[in-house]
Amino acid sequence: MTGDLPAHTILRLGHQGDGIADGPLHVPRSLPGEVVTGEIAEGRIPAPRIVTPSADRVAAPCPHYRRCGGCSLQHASDAFVAGWKADLVRDALARAGIEARIAGVETSPPNTRRRAALSGRKTKKGAEVGFHVPRSPQIVAIPDCRVLDPRILRALGALERLTRLAAPRGAEVTLHVTATDTGIDLSVEGAKPFDRDAMLALAPLAPAFARISWNGETALQQSPPRVTLGPAQVTPPPGAFLQATPQGEAALVAAVTQALAGASRIVDLFAGCGTFTFPAARITPVHAVEGERAALGALAAAARHAPGLKAITTETRDLFRNPLGADDLAPFDAAIIDPPRAGAAAQVERLAASPLRTIAFVSCNPATFARDAATLASAGWRMGPVTVVDQFRWSSHVELVATFHRT
């Protein structure tokens, strides 16, 4: 019985949002200062009983939270989560010897996540579509999810029918869903081979989706999926990266645009489909550099029809293996960089030694950002206040924007 088990005090939260007690013991869905008990398994208390709750504990708003692994922090107040995410950024930079000033935390509202990777599995009675139970292959259905855009929730029935069609026996499919301006864009990975029978079976599902891509190939398109980026209407390639929420994207773009004030020519590194390229091109010419040819093609196609923009040029280039050097950067006075989670150590070294005056740095990983920020600081760059952007509400994921100027 839990009453006979020892009590443990939660000391802090780990980077994944679990509470940490002496041991160390990882205690999911607990908060600093709470006293908990429970059975220990592999260094965890997977089902803790909260003996002494924190003042920051709240009732989770989602009925699926007890089992679903899509969120990890619905039991914490909004103020606590915002402060914790700001501290993640502050602490990562402190370990790199940099004192951070946090300008604010921009948190996206509930039910605004416009893209997600859902899991789908065929069952004897139909199909399961949703998120996994934490540390388990079980899938939780999420009809009342408090995170996803309502347009995605309305498509769950169609996603279940498609899973019945696409999932191999005994295996899962991954359903990458994006709510675009013209409908749901779906990219199915891990599906059975696409054949004539599958093509015929897809036809009744056409009204539920703008486009269905099957193992990377377009299988059905009702209308081109389009997203608005600045003044441009972009048709992204299947499975393309987009910011998770419109509100989060707006916060990131606002911070980047503010950083670029006064720039005369901008280079956008890891430009993707143009999240920052198009807003920046309202100010000054932009050279967009991206390694994914399909994403850059979507950007270039949209640029040809977007009104009110300065010149946009594009370059397909692997910035990990072939970063822009001093000669490449010489024509520009400002750069935007938005690398993947691994950061961009080689490219940042070139930026640090470049003649640029301003760098608007967007990051989705405080640890690699701190490493790259230390590289810039050691070369004499000064970091301004950091804006923390929480698009992945109730998760441990953190994004940020910081501006660097030459001292």
Side-chain angles (χ1 to χ4, degrees), residues 227-246:
V227 293
T228 302
L229 300 177
Q233 295 291 308
V234 181
T235 297
F241 173 81
L242 296 170
Q243 297 298 332
T245 70

Side-chain angles (χ1 to χ4, degrees), residues 121-360:
R121 183 189 296 118
K122 190 186 304 183
T123 67
K124 291 181 179 179
K125 296 182 179 180
E128 299 172 325
V129 171
F131 292 117
H132 281 117
V133 173
R135 302 166 67 90
S136 168
Q138 293 182 340
I139 295 174
V140 180
I142 50 168
D144 298 309
C145 178
R146 296 298 191 267
V147 169
L148 297 181
D149 186 299
R151 292 171 292 176
I152 296 176
L153 297 180
R154 289 194 292 269
L156 288 174
L159 291 170
E160 290 174 358
R161 295 193 296 275
L162 189 139
T163 297
R164 287 279 295 169
L165 174 65
R169 185 182 299 274
E172 289 186 7
V173 290
T174 301
L175 307 166
H176 294 277
V177 288
T178 303
T180 75
D181 297 346
T182 53
I184 298 293
D185 187 21
L186 170 64
S187 178
V188 188
E189 293 182 357
K192 295 186 296 186
F194 191 69
D195 54 22
R196 183 175 182 275
D197 290 341
M199 180 176 64
L200 293 174
L202 274 184
L205 296 174
F209 302 98
R211 178 176 64 187
I212 298 175
S213 302
W214 192 287
N215 293 337
E217 299 293 331
T218 299
L220 180 150
Q221 183 165 291
Q222 180 84 345
S223 60
R226 291 194 180 92
V227 293
T228 302
L229 300 177
Q233 295 291 308
V234 181
T235 297
F241 173 81
L242 296 170
Q243 297 298 332
T245 70
Q247 295 83 355
E249 179 182 292
L252 293 170
V253 168
V256 167
T257 302
Q258 182 178 7
L260 298 174
S264 61
R265 186 159 171 78
I266 297 167
V267 60
D268 185 3
L269 306 174
F270 302 95
C273 292
T275 299
F276 303 109
T277 303
F278 292 111
R282 284 172 160 162
I283 305 169
T284 190
V286 180
H287 183 57
V289 186
E290 168 59 46
E292 293 291 335
R293 190 175 299 275
L296 199 63
L299 186 161
R304 289 193 288 270
H305 304 286
L309 296 178
K310 306 295 185 182
I312 293 176
T313 53
T314 61
E315 178 181 354
T316 305
R317 184 163 175 161
D318 184 340
L319 293 172
F320 293 106
R321 297 183 179 183
N322 187 22
L324 270 67
D327 290 344
D328 304 304
L329 295 167
F332 309 102
D333 61 349
I336 307 164
I337 181 167
D338 181 17
R341 288 188 60 79
Q347 182 61 78
V348 170
E349 288 180 2
R350 306 303 195 280
L351 292 176
S354 75
L356 293 166
R357 295 205 314 261
T358 304
I359 300 170

